Coordinates of all heavy atoms in Angstrom, one line a residue:
M1260 N 26.7 -68.2 43.3 CA 27.3 -67.5 42.2 C 26.3 -66.6 41.5 O 26.6 -65.5 41.0 CB 27.9 -68.5 41.2 CG 28.6 -67.9 40.0 SD 29.4 -69.0 38.9 CE 28.1 -69.5 37.9
S1261 N 25.0 -67.0 41.4 CA 24.0 -66.2 40.7 C 23.9 -64.8 41.5 O 23.6 -63.8 40.8 CB 22.7 -66.9 40.6 OG 22.2 -67.1 41.9
N1262 N 24.0 -64.8 42.8 CA 24.0 -63.6 43.5 C 25.1 -62.7 43.1 O 24.9 -61.4 43.0 CB 24.0 -63.8 45.0 CG 23.6 -62.6 45.8 OD1 23.0 -61.7 45.3 ND2 24.0 -62.6 47.1
L1263 N 26.3 -63.2 42.9 CA 27.4 -62.4 42.4 C 27.2 -61.8 41.1 O 27.4 -60.6 40.9 CB 28.7 -63.3 42.4 CG 29.9 -62.7 41.8 CD1 30.4 -61.6 42.7 CD2 31.0 -63.7 41.5
V1264 N 26.6 -62.6 40.2 CA 26.3 -62.1 38.8 C 25.2 -60.9 38.9 O 25.4 -59.9 38.3 CB 25.8 -63.2 37.9 CG1 25.3 -62.7 36.6 CG2 26.9 -64.2 37.7
T1265 N 24.2 -61.1 39.7 CA 23.2 -60.1 39.9 C 23.8 -58.8 40.5 O 23.5 -57.7 40.0 CB 22.1 -60.7 40.8 OG1 21.6 -61.9 40.3 CG2 20.9 -59.7 40.9
M1266 N 24.6 -59.0 41.5 CA 25.2 -57.8 42.2 C 26.1 -57.1 41.2 O 26.2 -55.9 41.2 CB 25.9 -58.2 43.5 CG 25.0 -58.6 44.6 SD 23.9 -57.2 45.1 CE 25.2 -56.2 45.9
T1267 N 26.9 -57.8 40.4 CA 27.8 -57.3 39.5 C 27.1 -56.5 38.4 O 27.4 -55.3 38.1 CB 28.7 -58.3 38.8 OG1 29.4 -59.0 39.9 CG2 29.7 -57.8 37.8
I1268 N 26.0 -57.1 37.9 CA 25.2 -56.4 36.8 C 24.6 -55.1 37.4 O 24.6 -54.1 36.8 CB 24.2 -57.3 36.2 CG1 24.9 -58.4 35.4 CG2 23.2 -56.6 35.4 CD1 24.0 -59.5 34.9
A1269 N 24.0 -55.2 38.6 CA 23.4 -54.0 39.2 C 24.4 -52.9 39.5 O 24.1 -51.8 39.2 CB 22.7 -54.5 40.5
S1270 N 25.6 -53.3 40.0 CA 26.6 -52.3 40.3 C 27.1 -51.6 39.0 O 27.2 -50.4 39.0 CB 27.8 -52.9 41.0 OG 27.4 -53.5 42.2
E1271 N 27.3 -52.4 38.0 CA 27.8 -51.8 36.7 C 26.7 -51.0 36.1 O 27.0 -50.0 35.4 CB 28.3 -52.9 35.8 CG 29.6 -53.6 36.3 CD 30.8 -52.7 36.4 OE1 30.9 -51.8 35.6 OE2 31.6 -52.9 37.3
A1272 N 25.5 -51.4 36.2 CA 24.4 -50.7 35.6 C 24.2 -49.3 36.2 O 24.0 -48.3 35.6 CB 23.1 -51.5 35.7
F1273 N 24.3 -49.3 37.6 CA 24.2 -48.0 38.3 C 25.4 -47.1 37.9 O 25.2 -45.8 37.7 CB 24.2 -48.2 39.8 CG 24.0 -46.9 40.6 CD1 22.8 -46.2 40.4 CD2 25.0 -46.4 41.4 CE1 22.6 -45.1 41.2 CE2 24.8 -45.2 42.1 CZ 23.6 -44.6 42.0
L1274 N 26.6 -47.6 37.7 CA 27.7 -46.8 37.3 C 27.5 -46.3 35.9 O 27.8 -45.2 35.6 CB 29.0 -47.7 37.4 CG 30.3 -47.0 37.0 CD1 30.6 -45.9 38.0 CD2 31.5 -48.0 37.0
L1275 N 27.0 -47.2 35.0 CA 26.8 -46.8 33.6 C 25.7 -45.7 33.6 O 25.9 -44.7 32.8 CB 26.4 -48.0 32.8 CG 26.1 -47.8 31.3 CD1 27.4 -47.3 30.6 CD2 25.6 -49.0 30.7
L1276 N 24.7 -45.8 34.3 CA 23.6 -44.8 34.4 C 24.1 -43.5 34.8 O 23.8 -42.5 34.2 CB 22.5 -45.3 35.3 CG 21.4 -44.3 35.5 CD1 20.5 -44.2 34.2 CD2 20.5 -44.7 36.7
S1277 N 25.0 -43.5 35.8 CA 25.6 -42.2 36.3 C 26.4 -41.6 35.2 O 26.3 -40.3 35.0 CB 26.4 -42.5 37.5 OG 25.7 -43.1 38.5
F1278 N 27.2 -42.3 34.5 CA 28.0 -41.7 33.4 C 27.2 -41.4 32.2 O 27.6 -40.4 31.5 CB 29.2 -42.7 33.1 CG 30.3 -42.5 34.0 CD1 30.5 -43.2 35.1 CD2 31.3 -41.5 33.8 CE1 31.6 -43.1 36.0 CE2 32.3 -41.3 34.6 CZ 32.5 -42.1 35.7
I1279 N 26.1 -42.0 31.9 CA 25.3 -41.6 30.8 C 24.6 -40.3 31.1 O 24.5 -39.4 30.3 CB 24.2 -42.7 30.5 CG1 24.8 -43.9 29.8 CG2 23.1 -42.2 29.7 CD1 23.9 -45.1 29.6
I1280 N 24.2 -40.1 32.4 CA 23.6 -38.8 32.8 C 24.7 -37.7 32.7 O 24.4 -36.6 32.2 CB 23.0 -38.9 34.2 CG1 21.8 -39.8 34.2 CG2 22.6 -37.5 34.7 CD1 21.3 -40.1 35.6
I1281 N 25.9 -38.0 33.1 CA 27.0 -37.0 33.0 C 27.2 -36.6 31.5 O 27.3 -35.5 31.2 CB 28.3 -37.5 33.7 CG1 28.1 -37.6 35.2 CG2 29.4 -36.7 33.3 CD1 29.2 -38.2 35.9
I1282 N 27.3 -37.6 30.7 CA 27.6 -37.4 29.3 C 26.5 -36.6 28.6 O 26.7 -35.7 27.8 CB 27.9 -38.7 28.5 CG1 29.3 -39.3 29.0 CG2 27.9 -38.5 27.0 CD1 29.6 -40.7 28.5
L1283 N 25.2 -36.9 28.9 CA 24.1 -36.2 28.3 C 24.0 -34.8 28.8 O 23.4 -33.9 28.2 CB 22.8 -36.9 28.6 CG 22.7 -38.3 27.8 CD1 21.4 -39.0 28.2 CD2 22.8 -38.1 26.3
S1284 N 24.5 -34.5 30.0 CA 24.4 -33.2 30.6 C 25.6 -32.2 30.3 O 25.5 -31.1 30.6 CB 24.2 -33.2 32.1 OG 25.3 -33.8 32.7
T1285 N 26.6 -32.8 29.7 CA 27.8 -31.9 29.3 C 27.6 -31.3 28.0 O 26.9 -31.9 27.1 CB 29.1 -32.7 29.4 OG1 29.0 -33.8 28.5 CG2 29.4 -33.2 30.7
K1286 N 28.1 -30.1 27.8 CA 27.9 -29.4 26.5 C 29.1 -29.6 25.6 O 29.0 -29.5 24.4 CB 27.8 -27.9 26.8 CG 26.6 -27.6 27.6 CD 26.5 -26.1 27.9 CE 25.3 -25.8 28.7 NZ 25.2 -24.3 29.0
N1287 N 30.2 -30.0 26.1 CA 31.5 -30.2 25.3 C 31.6 -31.6 24.9 O 31.9 -32.5 25.8 CB 32.7 -29.7 26.2 CG 33.9 -29.6 25.4 OD1 34.0 -30.0 24.2 ND2 35.0 -29.1 26.0
P1288 N 31.5 -31.9 23.6 CA 31.7 -33.3 23.2 C 33.1 -33.9 23.4 O 33.3 -35.1 23.5 CB 31.2 -33.3 21.8 CG 31.2 -31.9 21.3 CD 31.1 -31.1 22.5
K1289 N 34.1 -33.0 23.3 CA 35.5 -33.5 23.5 C 35.7 -34.0 24.9 O 36.5 -34.8 25.2 CB 36.4 -32.3 23.2 CG 36.5 -32.0 21.7 CD 37.5 -30.9 21.5 CE 37.5 -30.6 20.0 NZ 38.5 -29.6 19.7
R1290 N 34.9 -33.4 25.9 CA 35.1 -33.8 27.3 C 34.5 -35.2 27.5 O 34.7 -35.9 28.5 CB 34.4 -32.8 28.1 CG 35.0 -32.7 29.5 CD 34.5 -31.4 30.1 NE 35.4 -31.2 31.2 CZ 35.1 -30.3 32.2 NH1 34.0 -29.6 32.1 NH2 36.0 -30.1 33.1
N1291 N 33.6 -35.7 26.6 CA 33.0 -37.0 26.7 C 34.0 -38.1 26.7 O 33.8 -39.1 27.3 CB 31.9 -37.2 25.7 CG 30.7 -36.3 25.9 OD1 30.5 -35.8 27.0 ND2 29.9 -36.2 24.9
V1292 N 35.1 -37.9 26.0 CA 36.2 -38.9 26.0 C 36.7 -39.1 27.4 O 37.0 -40.2 27.8 CB 37.3 -38.5 25.0 CG1 38.5 -39.4 25.0 CG2 36.7 -38.4 23.6
L1293 N 36.9 -38.0 28.1 CA 37.4 -38.0 29.5 C 36.4 -38.8 30.4 O 36.8 -39.7 31.2 CB 37.5 -36.6 30.1 CG 37.8 -36.5 31.5 CD1 39.2 -37.1 31.8 CD2 37.7 -35.1 32.0
W1294 N 35.1 -38.6 30.2 CA 34.1 -39.3 31.0 C 34.1 -40.8 30.7 O 33.9 -41.6 31.6 CB 32.7 -38.7 30.8 CG 32.6 -37.3 31.3 CD1 32.3 -36.2 30.5 CD2 32.8 -36.8 32.6 NE1 32.3 -35.1 31.3 CE2 32.6 -35.4 32.6 CE3 33.1 -37.5 33.8 CZ2 32.7 -34.7 33.7 CZ3 33.2 -36.7 35.0 CH2 33.0 -35.3 34.9
V1295 N 34.3 -41.2 29.4 CA 34.4 -42.6 29.0 C 35.6 -43.2 29.7 O 35.5 -44.4 30.2 CB 34.4 -42.8 27.5 CG1 34.7 -44.2 27.1 CG2 33.0 -42.3 26.9
I1296 N 36.7 -42.5 29.7 CA 37.9 -43.1 30.3 C 37.7 -43.2 31.8 O 38.1 -44.3 32.4 CB 39.1 -42.2 30.0 CG1 39.5 -42.3 28.5 CG2 40.3 -42.5 30.8 CD1 40.5 -41.3 28.0
L1297 N 37.1 -42.3 32.4 CA 36.8 -42.4 33.9 C 35.8 -43.5 34.1 O 35.9 -44.2 35.2 CB 36.3 -41.1 34.4 CG 37.3 -39.9 34.5 CD1 36.6 -38.6 35.0 CD2 38.4 -40.3 35.5
F1298 N 34.9 -43.8 33.2 CA 34.0 -44.9 33.4 C 34.7 -46.2 33.3 O 34.5 -47.1 34.2 CB 32.9 -44.9 32.3 CG 32.1 -46.2 32.3 CD1 31.2 -46.4 33.3 CD2 32.2 -47.1 31.3 CE1 30.4 -47.6 33.3 CE2 31.5 -48.2 31.3 CZ 30.6 -48.5 32.3
I1299 N 35.7 -46.3 32.4 CA 36.4 -47.6 32.3 C 37.3 -47.8 33.5 O 37.4 -48.9 34.0 CB 37.3 -47.5 31.0 CG1 36.4 -47.6 29.8 CG2 38.3 -48.6 31.0 CD1 37.1 -47.3 28.4
I1300 N 37.9 -46.7 34.0 CA 38.7 -46.8 35.3 C 37.8 -47.3 36.4 O 38.3 -48.1 37.3 CB 39.3 -45.4 35.6 CG1 40.4 -45.1 34.6 CG2 39.9 -45.4 37.0 CD1 41.0 -43.7 34.7
G1301 N 36.6 -46.9 36.5 CA 35.7 -47.3 37.6 C 35.2 -48.7 37.4 O 34.9 -49.4 38.4
A1302 N 35.0 -49.1 36.1 CA 34.3 -50.4 35.9 C 35.3 -51.6 35.8 O 35.0 -52.7 36.1 CB 33.5 -50.3 34.6
A1303 N 36.5 -51.3 35.3 CA 37.4 -52.4 35.0 C 37.9 -53.2 36.2 O 37.8 -54.5 36.1 CB 38.7 -51.8 34.2
P1304 N 38.2 -52.7 37.3 CA 38.7 -53.5 38.4 C 37.5 -54.4 38.9 O 37.8 -55.6 39.2 CB 39.1 -52.5 39.5 CG 39.3 -51.2 38.8 CD 38.4 -51.3 37.6
H1305 N 36.4 -53.9 38.9 CA 35.2 -54.7 39.4 C 34.9 -55.8 38.5 O 34.7 -57.0 38.9 CB 34.0 -53.7 39.5 CG 32.8 -54.4 40.1 ND1 31.6 -54.5 39.3 CD2 32.5 -55.1 41.2 CE1 30.7 -55.1 40.0 NE2 31.3 -55.5 41.2
L1306 N 34.9 -55.6 37.2 CA 34.6 -56.6 36.2 C 35.7 -57.7 36.2 O 35.5 -58.9 36.2 CB 34.4 -56.1 34.8 CG 33.1 -55.3 34.6 CD1 33.1 -54.7 33.2 CD2 32.0 -56.3 34.8
Y1307 N 37.0 -57.2 36.3 CA 38.1 -58.2 36.3 C 38.0 -59.1 37.5 O 38.1 -60.3 37.4 CB 39.4 -57.4 36.3 CG 40.6 -58.4 36.5 CD1 41.0 -59.2 35.5 CD2 41.2 -58.4 37.7 CE1 42.1 -60.0 35.6 CE2 42.3 -59.3 37.9 CZ 42.7 -60.1 36.9 OH 43.8 -61.0 37.0
L1308 N 37.8 -58.6 38.7 CA 37.8 -59.4 39.9 C 36.5 -60.3 40.0 O 36.6 -61.4 40.5 CB 37.9 -58.5 41.1 CG 39.3 -58.0 41.3 CD1 39.4 -56.9 42.4 CD2 40.3 -59.1 41.6
A1309 N 35.4 -59.8 39.4 CA 34.2 -60.7 39.4 C 34.4 -61.9 38.4 O 34.1 -63.0 38.8 CB 33.0 -59.9 39.0
I1310 N 35.0 -61.6 37.3 CA 35.3 -62.7 36.3 C 36.3 -63.6 36.9 O 36.2 -64.9 36.8 CB 35.7 -62.1 35.0 CG1 34.5 -61.4 34.3 CG2 36.3 -63.2 34.1 CD1 34.9 -60.6 33.1
D1311 N 37.3 -63.1 37.6 CA 38.4 -63.9 38.2 C 37.8 -64.8 39.3 O 38.1 -66.0 39.5 CB 39.5 -63.0 38.8 CG 40.6 -63.8 39.5 OD1 41.1 -64.7 38.8 OD2 40.8 -63.5 40.7
H1312 N 36.8 -64.3 40.1 CA 36.2 -65.1 41.1 C 35.4 -66.2 40.6 O 35.3 -67.3 41.1 CB 35.3 -64.2 42.0 CG 34.7 -64.9 43.2 ND1 35.5 -65.2 44.3 CD2 33.5 -65.3 43.4 CE1 34.7 -65.9 45.1 NE2 33.5 -65.9 44.6
V1313 N 34.7 -66.0 39.4 CA 33.9 -67.0 38.8 C 34.8 -68.1 38.2 O 34.4 -69.3 38.3 CB 32.9 -66.4 37.8 CG1 32.2 -67.4 37.0 CG2 31.9 -65.5 38.5
T1314 N 35.9 -67.7 37.6 CA 36.7 -68.7 36.9 C 37.6 -69.5 37.8 O 37.9 -70.6 37.5 CB 37.6 -68.0 35.8 OG1 38.4 -67.0 36.4 CG2 36.7 -67.4 34.7
N1315 N 38.0 -68.9 38.9 CA 38.9 -69.6 39.9 C 38.1 -70.0 41.1 O 37.2 -69.3 41.5 CB 40.0 -68.7 40.3 CG 41.0 -68.4 39.2 OD1 41.1 -69.2 38.3 ND2 41.5 -67.2 39.2
D1316 N 38.4 -71.2 41.6 CA 37.7 -71.7 42.8 C 38.5 -71.4 44.0 O 39.5 -72.0 44.3 CB 37.4 -73.2 42.7 CG 36.5 -73.7 43.7 OD1 35.7 -72.9 44.3 OD2 36.6 -74.9 44.0
Y1317 N 38.1 -70.3 44.7 CA 38.8 -69.9 45.9 C 38.3 -70.6 47.2 O 37.1 -70.7 47.3 CB 38.7 -68.4 46.1 CG 39.5 -67.6 45.1 CD1 38.8 -66.9 44.1 CD2 40.9 -67.6 45.1 CE1 39.5 -66.1 43.2 CE2 41.6 -66.8 44.1 CZ 40.9 -66.1 43.2 OH 41.5 -65.4 42.2
M1318 N 39.1 -71.1 48.0 CA 38.7 -71.7 49.3 C 38.4 -70.7 50.4 O 37.5 -71.0 51.2 CB 39.8 -72.7 49.8 CG 40.1 -73.8 48.8 SD 38.7 -74.9 48.5 CE 38.7 -75.8 50.1
D1319 N 39.0 -69.6 50.3 CA 38.8 -68.6 51.4 C 38.0 -67.4 50.8 O 37.6 -67.4 49.7 CB 40.1 -68.1 52.0 CG 41.0 -67.5 51.0 OD1 40.8 -67.7 49.8 OD2 42.0 -66.9 51.4
A1320 N 37.8 -66.4 51.7 CA 37.0 -65.2 51.2 C 37.9 -64.4 50.3 O 39.1 -64.3 50.5 CB 36.7 -64.4 52.5
N1321 N 37.3 -63.9 49.3 CA 38.0 -63.1 48.3 C 37.9 -61.6 48.7 O 36.9 -61.0 48.4 CB 37.4 -63.3 46.9 CG 38.2 -62.7 45.8 OD1 39.2 -62.0 46.0 ND2 37.9 -63.1 44.6
I1322 N 38.8 -61.2 49.4 CA 38.8 -59.8 50.0 C 38.9 -58.8 48.8 O 38.3 -57.8 48.9 CB 40.0 -59.6 51.0 CG1 39.9 -60.6 52.1 CG2 40.0 -58.2 51.5 CD1 38.6 -60.5 52.9
G1323 N 39.7 -59.1 47.8 CA 39.8 -58.2 46.7 C 38.5 -58.0 46.0 O 38.2 -56.8 45.5
L1324 N 37.6 -59.0 45.9 CA 36.3 -58.8 45.3 C 35.5 -57.9 46.1 O 34.8 -57.0 45.6 CB 35.6 -60.2 45.1 CG 34.3 -60.2 44.4 CD1 34.4 -59.6 43.0 CD2 33.7 -61.5 44.4
G1325 N 35.5 -58.0 47.4 CA 34.8 -57.1 48.3 C 35.2 -55.7 48.2 O 34.4 -54.8 48.1
L1326 N 36.5 -55.5 48.1 CA 37.1 -54.2 47.9 C 36.7 -53.6 46.6 O 36.5 -52.4 46.4 CB 38.6 -54.2 48.1 CG 39.1 -54.4 49.5 CD1 40.6 -54.6 49.5 CD2 38.7 -53.3 50.4
A1327 N 36.7 -54.4 45.5 CA 36.3 -54.0 44.2 C 34.8 -53.5 44.2 O 34.5 -52.5 43.6 CB 36.5 -55.1 43.2
F1328 N 33.9 -54.3 44.9 CA 32.5 -53.9 45.0 C 32.4 -52.5 45.8 O 31.7 -51.6 45.3 CB 31.7 -54.9 45.8 CG 31.1 -55.9 44.9 CD1 31.6 -57.2 44.8 CD2 30.0 -55.6 44.2 CE1 31.0 -58.1 44.0 CE2 29.4 -56.5 43.3 CZ 29.9 -57.8 43.2
M1329 N 33.2 -52.4 46.9 CA 33.1 -51.1 47.6 C 33.6 -50.0 46.8 O 33.0 -48.9 46.8 CB 33.9 -51.2 48.9 CG 33.3 -52.1 49.9 SD 31.6 -51.6 50.4 CE 32.0 -50.1 51.3
F1330 N 34.7 -50.2 46.0 CA 35.3 -49.1 45.2 C 34.2 -48.7 44.1 O 34.0 -47.5 43.9 CB 36.6 -49.6 44.5 CG 37.1 -48.7 43.4 CD1 37.7 -47.5 43.7 CD2 36.9 -49.1 42.1 CE1 38.2 -46.7 42.8 CE2 37.4 -48.2 41.1 CZ 38.0 -47.0 41.4
T1331 N 33.6 -49.7 43.5 CA 32.6 -49.4 42.5 C 31.4 -48.7 43.0 O 30.9 -47.8 42.4 CB 32.2 -50.7 41.8 OG1 33.3 -51.4 41.3 CG2 31.2 -50.4 40.6
W1332 N 31.0 -49.1 44.2 CA 29.8 -48.4 44.8 C 30.1 -47.0 45.2 O 29.4 -46.1 44.9 CB 29.3 -49.2 46.0 CG 28.8 -50.5 45.7 CD1 28.2 -50.9 44.5 CD2 28.6 -51.6 46.6 NE1 27.8 -52.2 44.6 CE2 28.1 -52.7 45.9 CE3 29.0 -51.8 47.9 CZ2 27.8 -53.9 46.5 CZ3 28.7 -53.0 48.5 CH2 28.1 -54.1 47.8
V1333 N 31.3 -46.7 45.8 CA 31.7 -45.4 46.1 C 31.9 -44.5 44.9 O 31.5 -43.4 44.8 CB 33.0 -45.4 47.0 CG1 33.5 -44.0 47.2 CG2 32.7 -46.0 48.4
Y1334 N 32.5 -45.1 43.9 CA 32.7 -44.4 42.6 C 31.4 -44.1 41.9 O 31.2 -43.0 41.3 CB 33.6 -45.4 41.7 CG 34.3 -44.7 40.6 CD1 35.5 -44.0 40.8 CD2 33.9 -44.8 39.3 CE1 36.2 -43.4 39.8 CE2 34.6 -44.2 38.2 CZ 35.7 -43.5 38.5 OH 36.4 -42.9 37.5
S1335 N 30.4 -45.0 42.0 CA 29.1 -44.8 41.4 C 28.4 -43.7 42.1 O 27.7 -42.9 41.5 CB 28.3 -46.1 41.5 OG 28.8 -47.1 40.8
V1336 N 28.5 -43.7 43.4 CA 27.8 -42.6 44.2 C 28.4 -41.3 43.9 O 27.7 -40.3 43.7 CB 27.8 -42.9 45.7 CG1 27.4 -41.7 46.5 CG2 26.9 -44.1 46.0
A1337 N 29.8 -41.2 43.8 CA 30.4 -39.9 43.5 C 30.0 -39.5 42.0 O 29.8 -38.3 41.8 CB 31.9 -40.1 43.6
A1338 N 30.0 -40.4 41.1 CA 29.6 -40.1 39.7 C 28.1 -39.7 39.7 O 27.8 -38.7 38.9 CB 29.8 -41.3 38.8
F1339 N 27.3 -40.3 40.5 CA 25.9 -39.9 40.5 C 25.7 -38.5 41.1 O 24.9 -37.7 40.6 CB 25.1 -40.9 41.3 CG 23.6 -40.8 41.1 CD1 23.0 -41.1 39.9 CD2 22.8 -40.3 42.1 CE1 21.6 -40.9 39.7 CE2 21.4 -40.2 42.0 CZ 20.8 -40.5 40.8
I1340 N 26.4 -38.2 42.1 CA 26.4 -36.8 42.7 C 26.8 -35.8 41.7 O 26.2 -34.7 41.5 CB 27.2 -36.7 44.0 CG1 26.5 -37.5 45.1 CG2 27.4 -35.3 44.4 CD1 27.3 -37.7 46.3
I1341 N 27.9 -36.1 41.0 CA 28.4 -35.2 39.9 C 27.4 -35.1 38.8 O 27.1 -34.0 38.3 CB 29.8 -35.7 39.3 CG1 30.9 -35.5 40.4 CG2 30.2 -34.9 38.1 CD1 32.2 -36.2 40.1
A1342 N 26.7 -36.2 38.4 CA 25.7 -36.1 37.4 C 24.5 -35.2 37.8 O 24.0 -34.4 37.0 CB 25.2 -37.5 37.1
I1343 N 24.1 -35.3 39.0 CA 23.0 -34.5 39.5 C 23.4 -33.0 39.5 O 22.6 -32.2 39.1 CB 22.5 -35.0 40.9 CG1 22.0 -36.4 40.9 CG2 21.5 -34.0 41.5 CD1 20.8 -36.6 40.0
I1344 N 24.6 -32.7 40.0 CA 25.1 -31.3 40.0 C 25.1 -30.8 38.5 O 24.7 -29.7 38.3 CB 26.5 -31.3 40.6 CG1 26.3 -31.5 42.1 CG2 27.1 -29.9 40.4 CD1 27.6 -31.7 42.9
L1345 N 25.7 -31.6 37.6 CA 25.7 -31.1 36.2 C 24.3 -30.9 35.6 O 24.1 -30.0 34.8 CB 26.6 -32.0 35.4 CG 28.1 -32.0 35.6 CD1 28.8 -33.1 34.8 CD2 28.7 -30.7 35.3
L1346 N 23.4 -31.8 35.9 CA 22.1 -31.8 35.4 C 21.3 -30.5 35.9 O 20.7 -29.8 35.2 CB 21.3 -33.0 35.8 CG 20.0 -33.3 35.0 CD1 20.4 -33.5 33.5 CD2 19.4 -34.6 35.6
V1347 N 21.5 -30.2 37.2 CA 20.9 -29.1 37.8 C 21.5 -27.8 37.2 O 20.8 -26.8 36.9 CB 21.0 -29.1 39.3 CG1 20.6 -27.7 40.0 CG2 20.2 -30.2 39.9
K1348 N 22.8 -27.8 37.0 CA 23.5 -26.6 36.4 C 23.0 -26.4 35.0 O 22.7 -25.3 34.6 CB 25.0 -26.9 36.4 CG 25.8 -25.7 35.9 CD 27.2 -26.0 36.0 CE 28.0 -24.8 35.4 NZ 29.5 -25.1 35.4
K1349 N 22.8 -27.5 34.2 CA 22.3 -27.4 32.9 C 20.9 -26.8 32.8 O 20.6 -26.0 32.0 CB 22.4 -28.7 32.2 CG 22.0 -28.7 30.7 CD 22.1 -30.0 30.1 CE 21.6 -30.0 28.6 NZ 21.7 -31.3 28.0
K1350 N 20.0 -27.3 33.7 CA 18.7 -26.8 33.8 C 18.6 -25.3 34.2 O 17.9 -24.6 33.6 CB 17.8 -27.6 34.7 CG 17.4 -28.9 34.2 CD 16.3 -29.5 35.0 CE 15.8 -30.8 34.3 NZ 14.4 -31.0 34.6
R1351 N 19.5 -25.0 35.1 CA 19.5 -23.6 35.6 C 20.0 -22.7 34.4 O 19.5 -21.6 34.2 CB 20.5 -23.4 36.8 CG 20.5 -22.0 37.3 CD 21.3 -21.9 38.5 NE 20.9 -22.8 39.6 CZ 21.7 -23.3 40.5 NH1 23.0 -23.0 40.5 NH2 21.2 -24.1 41.4
D1352 N 21.0 -23.1 33.7 CA 21.5 -22.3 32.5 C 20.4 -22.2 31.4 O 20.3 -21.1 30.8 CB 22.8 -23.0 31.9 CG 24.0 -22.8 32.9 OD1 23.9 -22.0 33.8 OD2 25.0 -23.6 32.7
N1353 N 19.7 -23.3 31.2 CA 18.6 -23.2 30.2 C 17.5 -22.3 30.7 O 16.9 -21.5 29.8 CB 18.0 -24.6 29.9 CG 19.0 -25.4 29.1 OD1 19.9 -24.9 28.5 ND2 18.8 -26.7 29.2
N1354 N 17.2 -22.2 31.9 CA 16.1 -21.3 32.4 C 16.6 -19.9 32.4 O 15.8 -19.0 32.0 CB 15.8 -21.7 33.9 CG 15.0 -23.0 34.0 OD1 14.4 -23.4 33.0 ND2 15.0 -23.6 35.1
I1355 N 17.8 -19.6 32.6 CA 18.4 -18.3 32.6 C 18.4 -17.8 31.1 O 18.0 -16.6 30.8 CB 19.8 -18.2 33.2 CG1 19.7 -18.4 34.7 CG2 20.4 -16.8 32.9 CD1 21.0 -18.5 35.4
S1356 N 18.8 -18.6 30.2 CA 18.8 -18.2 28.8 C 17.4 -18.0 28.2 O 17.2 -17.2 27.3 CB 19.6 -19.2 27.9 OG 18.9 -20.5 27.9
Q1357 N 16.4 -18.8 28.7 CA 15.1 -18.6 28.2 C 14.4 -17.3 28.7 O 13.6 -16.7 28.1 CB 14.2 -19.8 28.6 CG 14.5 -21.0 27.8 CD 13.7 -22.2 28.3 OE1 13.0 -22.1 29.3 NE2 13.9 -23.3 27.6
E1358 N 14.8 -16.9 29.9 CA 14.3 -15.6 30.5 C 14.8 -14.4 29.8 O 14.1 -13.4 29.7 CB 14.6 -15.6 32.0 CG 13.9 -16.6 32.8 CD 14.3 -16.5 34.3 OE1 15.2 -15.7 34.6 OE2 13.8 -17.3 35.1
Q1359 N 15.9 -14.4 29.2 CA 16.5 -13.3 28.6 C 16.0 -13.1 27.2 O 15.5 -13.2 26.4 CB 18.0 -13.3 28.5 CG 18.6 -13.3 29.9 CD 20.1 -13.4 29.9 OE1 20.7 -13.7 28.9 NE2 20.7 -13.3 31.1

């Protein structure tokens, strides 16, 4: 069970880090609400199934928990790629404005 808790915390932390980078690199504060909603969509299934697995004693393999981990990891990688793209775009825009 401790391995499950460690993996859950690590997965959610990477997802949170990706969305923090996205929020810090966007210029429009109204759009941050959209990013928070997308973060909740990505984090909620994983947290729900991890808590469900800890509270219920399953005799067989919990396939839903594995799928939730995979969904969160793919979602985290996609969010991290978007964060890197937005960060590079923001730096490029700042360099262009400083040159003029």
Side-chain angles (χ1 to χ4, degrees):
M1260 183 174 83
S1261 65
N1262 192 22
L1263 173 68
V1264 173
T1265 305
M1266 289 295 292
T1267 301
I1268 291 172
S1270 298
E1271 294 295 327
F1273 186 65
L1274 182 65
L1275 182 64
L1276 175 70
S1277 301
F1278 275 93
I1279 286 174
I1280 294 171
I1281 289 173
I1282 288 172
L1283 291 176
S1284 64
T1285 57
K1286 296 178 183 178
N1287 188 356
K1289 290 183 180 180
R1290 211 166 195 193
N1291 290 343
V1292 174
L1293 172 69
W1294 295 119
V1295 169
I1296 291 171
L1297 288 174
F1298 169 73
I1299 292 170
I1300 289 171
H1305 182 241
L1306 286 176
Y1307 172 75
L1308 287 170
I1310 292 169
D1311 180 54
H1312 183 76
V1313 170
T1314 58
N1315 296 328
D1316 189 24
Y1317 292 109
M1318 296 298 286
D1319 58 347
N1321 191 351
I1322 302 300
L1324 182 61
L1326 290 173
F1328 268 105
M1329 290 301 293
F1330 170 74
T1331 303
W1332 293 338
V1333 169
Y1334 201 78
S1335 297
V1336 168
F1339 192 70
I1340 290 170
I1341 291 170
I1343 296 299
I1344 290 170
L1345 290 174
L1346 198 61
V1347 168
K1348 184 179 176 184
K1349 182 179 179 181
K1350 282 193 172 207
R1351 184 179 299 152
D1352 290 344
N1353 286 342
N1354 287 342
I1355 290 173
S1356 66
Q1357 288 177 354
E1358 290 175 359
Q1359 294 177 354

